[in-house]
Amino acid sequence: MRRASDAVAAPSLGRAALRERAARVLETNWTGMSTVPSRTLYPHQWSWDSAFVAIGSRHVSPLRAQLELETLFDAQWGDGRVPHIVFNPSVPLDAYFPSPDFWRSSTSGRAAGAPRSVQTSGIVQPPVHALAAWLVHRADPGLSRSRSFLARVYPKLAAWHRYLLHRRDLGGGGLASVIHPWEQGMDNSPCWDAPLSRIAPAPARAFRRADLEHGAPDDRPTDLDYGRYVRLATDYRNGQYADGQGEFAVEDPSFNALLIASEHALARIACELGAAGTARHARAERLTAALVERLWDPATGMFFCRDLRGPCGGATDGHHAPRAPGHDTPRTAGRSSPPALIPEYGVSGLIPLILPTLPRHVTAGLLRTARGPRFGLGTAVRLVPSYDLTGPAFDPHRYWRGPAWFNTNWLIERGLRLHGEHAEAERLRTALLGTALDTAFAEYVDPYTGRGCGARGFAWSAALALDLLQEPRERHEGGTWG
């Protein structure tokens, strides 16, 4: 087994070749106005995928990176939400489920301002977009200004953030909530087992899983979990996409950390456009304080999800026995005040490392957790896994229940560098580039061996490799979100 510190000489032998291969993946997945994650498994435009694609493609075509984001925001709803899928009408309905005829955005979403000109889903994904827009602008400021790129996307980004900060503050503590596991992006994480266990699944006859035709069934979510995903989406659609009524509502650390990072980026965009960014920086700092107050557990050195619909007191789950004595649990376990933290160590809890004003003691605790036995950063694994290596639900190949993903590791790499951990960040960067090359830009990988899983030629894997090929000074030139 190779360690992260042993990987990988390949990029130094052919950085130009790696750049060419990564750019070819993006070219293959380009549809003319946007990029599909995978030609086979995901044949439409996905929201946070497009943000990561834009971050990488800015190094080969800043114009295409701008178009990527503009196309996505052309499908924004009147209430400000950015849908997690924008459907390509030329793709057959049976190529992906849930398809446009399931979501019925133009009819069921009418009250929320769904567009008439394009079909979309009704849920959202993590708000990486303002961060992406700022980085795309910095790649070619002259082109950006000549096209009025920031001036056109800024009001749309501001509306997107308003939607999350107002419509989705379901817990009343200032943080945005996700109302479906697909919204958080880490669809099949064990962090969702407890809140999902309360959801009655849709009957198997109500859906057909197109994903099993392109991926190994043992690596994908179970039929039971998929039935619960369908039930939640069906109920949300039947409720005309009104927020706050569903049985699933979770405050997630990664989703909110990306919102905060994008608030910092929006502040920079405002300054570029001649307005003051002070209020947005202040809001980002308030959100950081709320994130620490509501989701940080000092006893374990980890951010956890908060289940807003769960039982009072300890965070129980429907799949595992109660934790044995000596197994760390969040500080809210045993308390009588709702709502409860979910005692599962998902990589989502490490993503707040990207925040520039995170308190030092929190940063130090997160770094200890990342380097410890649960995630093995720099020691036990090649890339940081999506879930606790010691957890009862860990599986190195099953979707988001253990495999390592390029986007989460890219975020951790940037967080390490932001907080001065340059040597460790460089080791992770080298491991990411080597793994991308070894696996032909796989969708996700075994965290121990780096063996590729899921789709190959995956768009964000290629895009983020392009970004990582740049020297750190160039990637951070002009600032990012700090």
Side-chain angles (χ1 to χ4, degrees), residues 260-272:
I260 295 165
S262 280
E263 271 292 308
H264 282 299
L266 266 186
R268 289 186 172 273
I269 293 172
C271 291
E272 172 67 22

Side-chain angles (χ1 to χ4, degrees), residues 173 175 253 256 260 284-298 302-304 306 331 341 352 355 357-363 366:
L175 299 183
N256 281 281
I260 295 165
E285 291 178 7
R286 290 196 301 272
L287 287 169
T288 300
L291 184 73
V292 173
E293 171 61 28
R294 292 183 66 81
L295 304 185
W296 172 247
D297 178 42
M302 189 64 175
F303 284 96
F304 292 105
R306 185 175 290 279
R331 58 181 166 160
L341 293 180
L355 300 179
T357 60
L358 204 63
R360 288 186 180 181
H361 72 278
V362 174
T363 301
L366 276 183

Side-chain angles (χ1 to χ4, degrees), residues 76 80 82 127-131 155-167 176 258-266 280 283 287:
Q76 186 173 27
V82 178
V128 198
H129 310 92
L131 170 59
K156 297 181 179 183
L157 291 165
W160 171 217
H161 285 210
R162 280 196 301 274
Y163 168 78
L164 294 173
L165 291 168
H166 296 287
R167 302 288 185 93
L258 291 168
L259 175 59
I260 295 165
S262 280
E263 271 292 308
H264 282 299
L266 266 186
R280 290 203 175 274
R283 178 181 294 140
L287 287 169

Side-chain angles (χ1 to χ4, degrees), residues 66-80:
Q66 291 178 28
L67 289 173
E68 185 80 42
L69 295 172
E70 289 166 355
T71 301
L72 178 66
F73 275 85
D74 282 345
Q76 186 173 27
W77 289 29
D79 64 3

